[in-house]
Amino acid sequence: MDGTLDHTMIRVEDLEASLDWYTTHFGYEEYGRWEADTFTNVFLAPPDKHEDGATLELTYNHDGRSYDMGDAWGHIAVRVEDVYDAYEELMEGGVEDYRDPDSCGGQYAFVTDPDGHEIEIVERDHGAKWSLDHTMIRVEDADEAIGWFARKLDYELFRRAELDTFALYFMKPRGAADEEMSVELTYNYDGSTYDVGDAWGHVAVRTGDLRGYWETLMDRHAEDYRDPESCGDRYAFTKTMDGHEIEVVTRDDP
């Protein structure tokens, strides 16, 4: 199915430290690796992830640069059966105490990885333990953001929560399995604007026909940011109206 969320990319400053953190605490294994002249990409997920479950892409640039977290990207979320048990397991394993379940009303919790990327721990009755449940991004206009994902990617809104000061909208492809990753759009009512930064890279959607899918995106007036030809016909990139990068990858990629 075109549009399946394939992975979320984050940039890391010490690849070995990040690999050790994710493999030790989440039991992740490598699903793919790309060694280029100037950077390395490693794709991670639980060994028992769903066939259409998403991976986490760690990007390490060899020039030793550091990164700005920004605030337009919020977090990735991972699934567990019991948030209290999972948080205690992480604390016993040496993960830094960040936001425990009690501070989050007993419904979820947060930790941070070695680079400061926030990771939400959510209770789900589906999916492998520690598998990616969603990626949260902040948007400046909820109507426009929902419309972008619906019109450009043919996503549907399957969960929403409208609270006193903010609203959450969860979207993913029509007919997607519960175990697939979704995108959480967070809209704050105070009119906040956001900085994309560069510590978070992109979310990627998968297709079996890169050129055909790209043409569909162009017909739907998605931004022509990096077309397939400019990327060696391996992938392409568009952007949301808030500047979040969306990669399009073929099924042959990790």
Side-chain angles (χ1 to χ4, degrees):
M1 178 174 59
D2 282 341
T4 296
L5 284 159
D6 185 82
H7 64 264
T8 294
M9 187 274 265
I10 59 177
R11 297 185 177 94
V12 301
E13 296 183 13
D14 185 327
L15 180 59
E16 294 309 315
S18 294
L19 287 173
D20 180 69
W21 195 91
Y22 281 99
T23 57
T24 297
H25 300 301
F26 290 170
Y28 281 6
E29 65 177 27
E30 285 194 26
Y31 277 73
R33 180 183 285 243
W34 183 12
E35 297 279 2
D37 292 338
T38 59
F39 63 90
T40 301
N41 296 335
V42 182
F43 297 82
L44 302 173
D48 53 347
K49 81 172 183 70
H50 185 268
E51 62 180 354
D52 283 327
T55 60
L56 178 67
E57 177 188 355
L58 306 183
T59 290
Y60 170 66
N61 288 296
H62 301 167
D63 57 7
R65 72 183 72 177
S66 57
Y67 302 103
D68 171 21
M69 195 64 64
D71 57 4
W73 295 84
H75 60 258
I76 55 172
V78 295
R79 304 179 179 107
V80 299
E81 291 184 359
D82 185 289
V83 66
Y84 281 94
D85 289 347
Y87 200 80
E88 182 178 357
E89 177 184 333
L90 293 175
M91 296 303 99
E92 291 177 350
V95 174
E96 183 177 348
D97 184 8
Y98 182 54
R99 292 178 61 190
D100 66 18
D102 285 336
S103 70
C104 300
Q107 298 181 0
Y108 50 88
F110 280 88
V111 295
T112 59
D113 74 1
D115 291 277
H117 300 98
E118 293 190 4
I119 303 167
E120 184 182 13
I121 303 163
V122 295
E123 290 186 359
R124 296 287 187 258
D125 60 2
H126 56 265
K129 184 177 182 181
W130 306 121
S131 60
L132 289 172
D133 183 78
H134 62 265
T135 296
M136 186 274 267
I137 59 178
R138 296 184 178 92
V139 301
E140 296 180 11
D141 186 312
D143 293 332
E144 284 191 6
I146 293 168
W148 192 94
F149 280 91
R151 184 171 188 275
K152 306 300 192 285
L153 302 182
D154 198 26
Y155 281 15
E156 64 180 352
L157 178 64
F158 71 96
R159 185 188 307 137
R160 65 195 293 164
E162 289 159 341
L163 307 171
D164 291 340
T165 60
F166 64 94
L168 311 175
Y169 303 98
F170 292 83
M171 305 193 72
K172 62 181 173 182
R174 298 177 186 277
D178 290 341
E179 294 86 354
E180 294 182 34
M181 186 175 75
S182 63
V183 174
E184 176 189 354
L185 309 177
T186 292
Y187 172 62
N188 291 297
Y189 302 154
D190 60 5
S192 296
T193 59
Y194 304 105
D195 174 20
V196 171
D198 58 4
W200 295 84
H202 58 258
V203 293
V205 300
R206 195 164 65 232
T207 179
D209 178 4
L210 179 60
R211 288 270 184 161
Y213 193 74
W214 183 255
E215 289 177 6
T216 296
L217 289 176
M218 295 302 96
D219 288 343
R220 295 172 179 173
H221 300 133
E223 181 176 341
D224 184 358
Y225 178 49
R226 296 175 61 189
D227 66 13
E229 184 176 0
S230 71
C231 300
D233 282 316
R234 293 175 56 89
Y235 48 85
F237 281 88
T238 186
K239 285 185 179 182
T240 71
M241 81 294 300
D242 291 286
H244 302 99
E245 292 188 10
I246 308 294
E247 183 182 19
V248 182
V249 297
T250 65
R251 292 185 181 275
D252 292 334
D253 286 345

